[in-house]
Amino acid sequence: MWKPDRKSNQPLYQQIADDLEQRISYGEFPPGSLLPSERKLADQLGVNRSTVVLAYAELRSLGIIESRSGSGTRVSRTKWGATPKHTPNWHRYAEGGNFLPNLPFLRRIRVALEQDPSIIDFASGELAGDLAPIDEINAIMNEKQNTSYWGYDNPQGYMPLRQALVSFLKEYRGIHTTESSILITSGSQQSLYLITQCLLSPGDAVAIEDPSYSYSLPMFQSAGLRLFRLPVDERGVQPEDIRSLFKKHKIKMMFINPNFQNPTGTLLAEERRKKLLDVASELGLPIVEDDPFSLTAYKGTPPSPLKSSDAIGSVLYIGSFSKIAASGLRVGWMVAPHSVVERLADARQQMDFGLSVVPQKVAATFLESPFFDPHMDRLRSTLLYKRDLIIEVIQKEMPDLVEYHIPDGGLHLWCKIVPEVNDTKLLDAAIQRGVIFVPGSVYGSDSSYVRLTFARARTEDIHTGISRFAEALRSTLEIEN
Amino acid sequence: MWKPDRKSNQPLYQQIADDLEQRISYGEFPPGSLLPSERKLADQLGVNRSTVVLAYAELRSLGIIESRSGSGTRVSRTKWGATPKHTPNWHRYAEGGNFLPNLPFLRRIRVALEQDPSIIDFASGELAGDLAPIDEINAIMNEKQNTSYWGYDNPQGYMPLRQALVSFLKEYRGIHTTESSILITSGSQQSLYLITQCLLSPGDAVAIEDPSYSYSLPMFQSAGLRLFRLPVDERGVQPEDIRSLFKKHKIKMMFINPNFQNPTGTLLAEERRKKLLDVASELGLPIVEDDPFSLTAYKGTPPSPLKSSDAIGSVLYIGSFSKIAASGLRVGWMVAPHSVVERLADARQQMDFGLSVVPQKVAATFLESPFFDPHMDRLRSTLLYKRDLIIEVIQKEMPDLVEYHIPDGGLHLWCKIVPEVNDTKLLDAAIQRGVIFVPGSVYGSDSSYVRLTFARARTEDIHTGISRFAEALRSTLEIEN
């Protein structure tokens, strides 16, 4: 983002006014549109609010912008000559459509991360730079490329990657499948989007875990689905709950994350897995099995997925590279009956005309390379180290304030805050102190939970991050009491 | 795709039966699902139909599949034991959702291209291997990579690519814009998808060109939009038509492809451009300007886009690499007011969590490299050569049968078949002879038009391709008369 030049002879306010005038003339802010508040713009540009006040005054004197008390500062409509010209009412257009905006908490977190790159990040559900196989991927990218065709690819995805996944799924997850049963997606998010948009209709009822990552996804509501809860205890969901939801609400599908569930970190117990498949096949009910974390099992023997015991094709299995290699590659996959794969591939063509072959090639090469196993070993041991570290620091900094279940895999620690606390206030206090996390209510849980991701922050920042969090928590509790 | 091994001692039918049994046991074809017809499977595997008949008989005798006359061959439901197990009714799920399937013609074309890679392709709207900057992209990919972070990227797209595009758009398209007004997408398809899904609501009326690429996109219908036509003559659409559509149907947006329009190849005349912008600003109506072909202008001076004269922010400008570099990169962009960019970026997060940084890096490097201008020069001269060649051959092979307007840019030749012809029959006859094109009705035009893309086929195949097409056309006309 542009910032004023403090070494220039031109005053800061004048630089800001010139930049804004240019942005307005380029159409970034059309006539009638709302400009950032003085405080917000000052934050973004790293200047005093008074400097922005001067810049806005300058533009106002030129008739470029108008301020009215209570409705903020807008680009002037009248400057544009005597003929009646109308900019489309973009604000109203942006409110249209079927798409709900992301949750306010998630947007707040994204903005905070953008504005302060030095903030200690316990919020982003991804791997730190030192956990991703960066050297390995760079080495693969540096191998001689001799692609001879750069055209549109098969709608199901790049064939060599599908072939590599057939071997990968058999060896690492006990899933027997074929290339034609695999759809390559840009990640679990796209897999879920395709399922909710193309296999379900508005008004359909679905069962999701409680708490669950699914609550953080407005895509379920955007698709007009009715959500019903399957409470997660320390052994996962209870299969019998499905039967009663089915009877009462005619649910059409269930979404399950059986291994190191996000956010709770729990494992679905063996006997419940069997029971779940039995109930599903008895009711003819599909299971969407989201399985991003299995391979992070710290002890190295990941639990078998439901899909590996799915004799009759009830399970749509979703996997991805994001949590075990690099989220920036944007490569995931789905295993499903051929008719489903064909339908979703056809719909995806209409949304984005398929994926780039470049990251798919990198992913296929990485999976089949000698880098893969050593990377996974290193990932597992580093995650275990970070998990132990965050727990050690929590025990030191705030043993009386939080409770948690120790996860055996995954990227997250799910914590209950023992005294009741308002999570909006806690988040504000944490951001002020330079640390960020995801409030539990994002996952449909009550306000006294937080998800602390220990995979994303640098190891050397974990102690400081937890100290800051503890301080934020104490100060929030003090103000409340 | 798997094919039986003709050198094996095991009979072909037995190999096919074994392979199918495995696919069924892996869930590719769940119990109750329909298997391919004997004829279709024989085609796919390159064997006689009688071999597939034997293979199916074998599986039937094992109780694995069942055939009923009139309803095809299905995977048996009863084989799976006495307990009442039900596979989800995937067929019904696949029919659900808001997503209409692609047009039958387009699916037919895709299947024909997959089944016969040697078919001469006048259908795919993309560049041939020898037109794409393959060596250049490989060279860029072979430059030393030293990415230090492989995490989730900014929802608006990779910043260095947005910066490169600000310069590119200014230099090549006369568009002045800022990084924060640019959204990187996976191509024009995703740009259009985001606009139709997020800025419009079901029931909204929009204006599209007639004929137009938009007709080929079920996404407009999937979004519940009502489509109204703006006839395209040899100088493009008539701005006054917009006004009357607005009065009658309260249209909310118009979709225009002013330069080398797909499929007609026409240029919107200068004075109509000015008028169009005036009408839009008078009515406060947004213009979606799809501009994939401008830089292919054979004379090298592409017409200015509407966006470059858009003083008040009425235009959403869409561009992409697909038609000028490589469709397989999947990199496109949109220029829009900041509030629109923010809204669409947020929605796209929910669909696919953003794009891979890998192709975005390649695209940014390519744009700023010394490769870009020489590539574009070569692209323009080769396209011109191919355009002249296809016209020369048409004049030789069927001068009396087709009429066309000679385009000054773009990838396509839009032809009117002079005697009336049924385009379904013509497509069948062409595919049989090893050549393929897109029937005009795909673009909402009447049956006697075809789009012949001359950019995709190899130069040395164009003559043979047109001969085959002429033969297919003559035989179709003979049968009809």
Side-chain angles (χ1 to χ4, degrees):
Chain A
M1 172 148 197
W2 177 85
K3 300 247 162 144
D5 177 5
R6 291 184 180 274
K7 289 183 197 134
S8 157
N9 288 331
Q10 210 186 14
L12 289 181
Y13 86 89
Q14 188 63 54
Q15 292 180 47
I16 295 171
D18 288 353
D19 179 64
L20 272 173
E21 184 175 359
Q22 195 177 54
R23 287 172 190 271
I24 291 167
S25 76
Y26 287 179
E28 179 171 340
F29 300 103
S33 67
L34 197 62
L35 290 169
S37 70
E38 289 158 351
R39 184 184 306 278
K40 196 177 160 191
L41 188 59
D43 276 359
Q44 285 172 357
L45 300 176
V47 299
N48 289 329
R49 193 177 155 207
S50 58
T51 311
V52 176
V53 170
L54 282 175
Y56 276 6
E58 172 78 10
L59 292 171
R60 220 168 9 242
S61 73
L62 297 168
I64 293 170
I65 64 172
E66 302 166 334
S67 305
R68 222 170 296 169
S69 63
S71 76
T73 302
R74 291 179 184 273
V75 178
S76 171
R77 294 182 194 273
T78 50
K79 183 177 176 285
W80 308 91
T83 40
K85 296 212 170 184
H86 302 291
T87 298
N89 188 335
W90 288 119
H91 182 67
R92 199 171 301 155
Y93 281 97
E95 278 178 342
N98 299 315
F99 251 86
L100 298 176
N102 260 315
L103 298 184
F105 266 142
L106 296 181
R107 283 185 287 165
R108 172 106 172 76
I109 290 169
R110 193 202 293 155
V111 168
L113 287 167
E114 274 170 24
Q115 284 182 354
D116 177 8
S118 73
I119 203 166
I120 296 176
D121 183 0
F122 294 137
S124 305
E126 61 173 347
L127 303 178
D130 62 342
L131 282 178
I134 289 173
D135 295 340
E136 293 89 332
I137 291 180
N138 284 337
I140 287 169
M141 302 268 298
N142 287 337
E143 279 169 24
K144 191 116 193 74
Q145 301 291 327
N146 51 1
T147 305
S148 59
Y149 174 63
W150 280 99
Y152 294 117
D153 191 32
N154 184 298
Q156 267 185 248
Y158 184 57
M159 182 53 101
L161 176 57
R162 284 187 279 147
Q163 287 165 337
L165 282 168
V166 168
S167 310
F168 167 82
L169 288 165
K170 188 172 158 196
E171 184 178 351
Y172 291 88
R173 309 303 298 122
I175 294 172
H176 294 268
T177 187
T178 56
E179 301 98 56
S180 37
S181 309
I182 295 179
L183 176 68
I184 308 295
T185 65
S186 70
S188 303
Q189 188 92 359
Q190 191 175 53
S191 298
L192 290 169
Y193 181 67
L194 289 168
I195 291 169
T196 53
Q197 285 286 316
C198 306
L199 303 180
L200 295 165
S201 301
D204 280 354
V206 301
I208 63 176
E209 294 165 313
D210 173 28
S212 154
Y213 174 64
S214 308
Y215 280 102
S216 70
L217 301 176
M219 73 160 83
F220 282 86
Q221 282 92 347
S222 297
L225 304 177
R226 292 178 298 138
L227 304 181
F228 295 95
R229 294 164 181 245
L230 298 169
V232 173
D233 64 27
E234 61 287 359
R235 297 156 59 71
V237 298
Q238 305 242 33
E240 282 306 317
D241 290 349
I242 311 268
R243 204 189 301 272
S244 61
L245 282 186
F246 183 80
K247 268 190 206 147
K248 263 193 246 166
H249 306 289
K250 277 272 172 205
I251 53 166
K252 286 271 174 65
M253 205 175 268
M254 61 182 122
F255 293 80
I256 305 285
N257 172 197
N259 297 325
F260 314 124
Q261 199 252 1
N262 184 1
T264 63
T266 51
L267 270 178
L268 181 59
E270 278 297 340
E271 76 282 5
R272 290 192 183 179
R273 290 176 191 237
K274 210 188 151 310
K275 196 72 203 296
L276 198 63
L277 283 167
D278 286 347
V279 172
S281 66
E282 192 189 315
L283 305 174
L285 197 61
I287 302 175
V288 177
E289 179 179 27
D290 190 12
D291 192 30
F293 304 115
S294 308
L295 290 192
T296 62
Y298 311 139
K299 284 159 200 163
T301 42
S304 296
L306 297 167
K307 183 70 184 169
S308 66
S309 325
D310 172 35
I312 62 161
S314 300
V315 178
L316 306 181
Y317 178 83
I318 294 176
S320 124
F321 269 123
S322 298
K323 311 298 181 187
I324 58 170
S327 45
L329 267 186
R330 308 306 308 125
V331 172
W333 48 87
M334 194 191 309
V335 182
H338 186 62
S339 56
V340 173
V341 167
E342 269 200 321
R343 166 78 172 124
L344 300 187
D346 185 272
R348 204 257 309 278
Q349 284 291 93
Q350 295 177 47
M351 296 173 184
D352 61 18
F353 232 89
L355 300 172
S356 175
V357 285
V358 188
Q360 295 186 79
K361 277 189 77 163
V362 172
T365 311
F366 180 57
L367 267 185
E368 292 183 327
S369 75
F371 298 135
F372 187 72
D373 285 328
H375 161 69
M376 288 307 304
D377 286 342
R378 185 172 66 96
L379 174 64
R380 279 187 285 262
S381 62
T382 316
L383 281 176
L384 178 57
Y385 180 82
K386 287 180 127 172
R387 180 204 72 178
D388 288 345
L389 179 61
I390 200 171
I391 287 176
E392 187 190 316
V393 182
I394 287 173
Q395 285 310 322
K396 187 161 163 269
E397 297 283 334
M398 48 179 182
D400 47 326
L401 297 179
V402 298
E403 286 172 359
Y404 46 82
H405 161 88
I406 299 178
D408 293 320
L411 280 53
H412 316 294
L413 188 70
W414 178 242
C415 299
K416 181 172 166 47
I417 308 291
V418 182
E420 213 155 292
V421 69
N422 175 310
D423 61 7
T424 309
K425 287 185 187 153
L426 178 56
L427 185 63
D428 285 341
I431 291 173
Q432 268 176 33
R433 284 168 180 80
V435 63
I436 199 159
F437 63 92
V438 184
S441 54
V442 164
Y443 306 103
S445 148
D446 71 38
S447 173
S448 266
Y449 283 85
V450 298
R451 191 191 79 173
L452 299 174
T453 300
F454 48 84
R456 179 70 185 87
R458 290 185 305 173
T459 304
E460 59 267 38
D461 288 340
I462 288 181
H463 198 141
T464 315
I466 292 298
S467 305
R468 291 178 184 172
F469 178 86
E471 209 181 292
L473 177 54
R474 287 215 174 80
S475 84
T476 312
L477 291 170
E478 266 167 35
I479 294 164
E480 289 193 345
N481 298 318
Chain B
M1 174 150 196
W2 178 84
K3 301 245 162 147
D5 176 5
R6 290 182 180 275
K7 290 183 196 134
S8 158
N9 289 329
Q10 209 186 16
L12 289 181
Y13 85 89
Q14 189 64 55
Q15 292 180 48
I16 295 170
D18 289 353
D19 178 65
L20 273 173
E21 185 177 356
Q22 197 179 54
R23 286 172 190 272
I24 291 166
S25 75
Y26 287 180
E28 180 171 340
F29 300 104
S33 67
L34 198 62
L35 290 169
S37 71
E38 288 157 352
R39 186 183 306 276
K40 193 175 161 192
L41 188 58
D43 277 357
Q44 285 172 355
L45 299 176
V47 300
N48 289 327
R49 191 176 156 208
S50 58
T51 311
V52 175
V53 171
L54 282 175
Y56 276 8
E58 173 78 9
L59 292 172
R60 217 161 21 236
S61 74
L62 295 169
I64 293 170
I65 65 172
E66 300 166 335
S67 305
R68 225 171 295 172
S69 62
S71 78
T73 303
R74 290 179 184 274
V75 177
S76 172
R77 293 181 194 274
T78 51
K79 186 180 174 284
W80 307 91
T83 40
K85 296 210 169 182
H86 303 291
T87 297
N89 188 336
W90 287 120
H91 183 67
R92 198 170 302 155
Y93 281 97
E95 280 178 338
N98 299 316
F99 250 86
L100 297 177
N102 260 313
L103 297 185
F105 267 142
L106 296 181
R107 281 185 289 165
R108 173 109 174 74
I109 290 169
R110 194 202 294 156
V111 169
L113 287 168
E114 273 169 23
Q115 282 181 358
D116 178 7
S118 73
I119 203 166
I120 295 176
D121 182 0
F122 294 137
S124 304
E126 60 173 345
L127 302 178
D130 61 343
L131 283 179
I134 291 174
D135 294 340
E136 292 88 333
I137 291 180
N138 285 337
I140 288 168
M141 303 270 296
N142 287 339
E143 279 168 24
K144 192 115 192 76
Q145 301 290 327
N146 52 2
T147 305
S148 60
Y149 173 64
W150 280 98
Y152 295 116
D153 190 32
N154 185 298
Q156 266 185 249
Y158 185 58
M159 182 54 102
L161 176 57
R162 284 188 278 146
Q163 286 165 340
L165 282 168
V166 168
S167 309
F168 167 82
L169 288 166
K170 187 173 159 194
E171 184 178 352
Y172 292 89
R173 308 304 296 122
I175 295 172
H176 293 268
T177 187
T178 55
E179 302 99 55
S180 38
S181 307
I182 295 179
L183 176 68
I184 307 296
T185 65
S186 72
S188 303
Q189 189 91 1
Q190 190 175 54
S191 298
L192 290 170
Y193 181 68
L194 288 169
I195 291 169
T196 53
Q197 286 287 316
C198 305
L199 303 181
L200 295 165
S201 302
D204 279 354
V206 300
I208 63 177
E209 293 165 314
D210 174 27
S212 154
Y213 174 64
S214 307
Y215 281 101
S216 70
L217 301 175
M219 72 161 84
F220 283 87
Q221 282 91 349
S222 297
L225 303 178
R226 292 177 299 138
L227 304 182
F228 294 95
R229 295 164 181 244
L230 297 169
V232 173
D233 63 27
E234 59 287 358
R235 298 157 57 72
V237 297
Q238 305 242 35
E240 282 306 318
D241 289 349
I242 311 265
R243 204 189 300 273
S244 61
L245 282 186
F246 183 79
K247 268 190 206 145
K248 263 194 245 164
H249 305 291
K250 275 273 169 204
I251 54 166
K252 287 270 175 66
M253 205 175 268
M254 60 181 124
F255 292 81
I256 306 286
N257 172 196
N259 297 325
F260 316 124
Q261 198 252 1
N262 185 1
T264 63
T266 51
L267 270 179
L268 182 59
E270 279 296 341
E271 76 281 7
R272 291 194 183 178
R273 289 177 192 237
K274 209 191 151 307
K275 195 73 201 295
L276 199 62
L277 283 168
D278 285 347
V279 172
S281 66
E282 191 188 317
L283 304 174
L285 198 60
I287 302 175
V288 177
E289 178 178 31
D290 191 10
D291 191 30
F293 304 115
S294 308
L295 290 194
T296 63
Y298 310 139
K299 286 161 198 162
T301 42
S304 295
L306 298 168
K307 184 70 186 171
S308 65
S309 326
D310 172 35
I312 63 160
S314 299
V315 178
L316 306 182
Y317 178 82
I318 295 177
S320 124
F321 269 124
S322 297
K323 312 298 181 187
I324 57 169
S327 44
L329 266 187
R330 311 304 310 122
V331 172
W333 49 87
M334 194 191 310
V335 182
H338 187 62
S339 58
V340 172
V341 166
E342 269 200 323
R343 166 77 172 126
L344 300 186
D346 184 273
R348 205 258 309 280
Q349 285 290 94
Q350 295 177 48
M351 296 174 183
D352 61 17
F353 230 90
L355 301 171
S356 175
V357 284
V358 188
Q360 295 186 79
K361 277 188 78 163
V362 173
T365 312
F366 180 57
L367 268 185
E368 293 184 326
S369 77
F371 298 136
F372 187 72
D373 285 329
H375 161 70
M376 287 308 305
D377 286 342
R378 186 172 65 94
L379 175 65
R380 279 187 285 261
S381 63
T382 317
L383 281 175
L384 177 58
Y385 180 82
K386 288 180 125 171
R387 180 204 72 175
D388 288 345
L389 179 61
I390 200 170
I391 287 176
E392 186 191 317
V393 182
I394 286 173
Q395 285 309 325
K396 186 163 165 266
E397 296 284 334
M398 48 179 185
D400 48 328
L401 296 179
V402 298
E403 286 172 356
Y404 45 82
H405 161 89
I406 300 178
D408 294 319
L411 282 51
H412 317 295
L413 189 69
W414 178 243
C415 299
K416 180 171 168 47
I417 308 290
V418 181
E420 212 153 294
V421 69
N422 175 310
D423 62 5
T424 310
K425 288 185 186 152
L426 179 57
L427 185 63
D428 284 341
I431 291 173
Q432 267 175 35
R433 284 166 181 80
V435 62
I436 199 158
F437 64 92
V438 184
S441 55
V442 163
Y443 307 103
S445 147
D446 72 38
S447 176
S448 266
Y449 283 85
V450 297
R451 192 191 78 174
L452 299 175
T453 300
F454 49 83
R456 178 73 184 83
R458 290 184 305 173
T459 304
E460 59 268 37
D461 288 340
I462 286 180
H463 198 142
T464 316
I466 292 298
S467 305
R468 291 179 186 172
F469 179 85
E471 210 182 292
L473 178 54
R474 288 216 171 77
S475 85
T476 311
L477 291 170
E478 265 165 36
I479 295 166
E480 289 193 346
N481 298 319

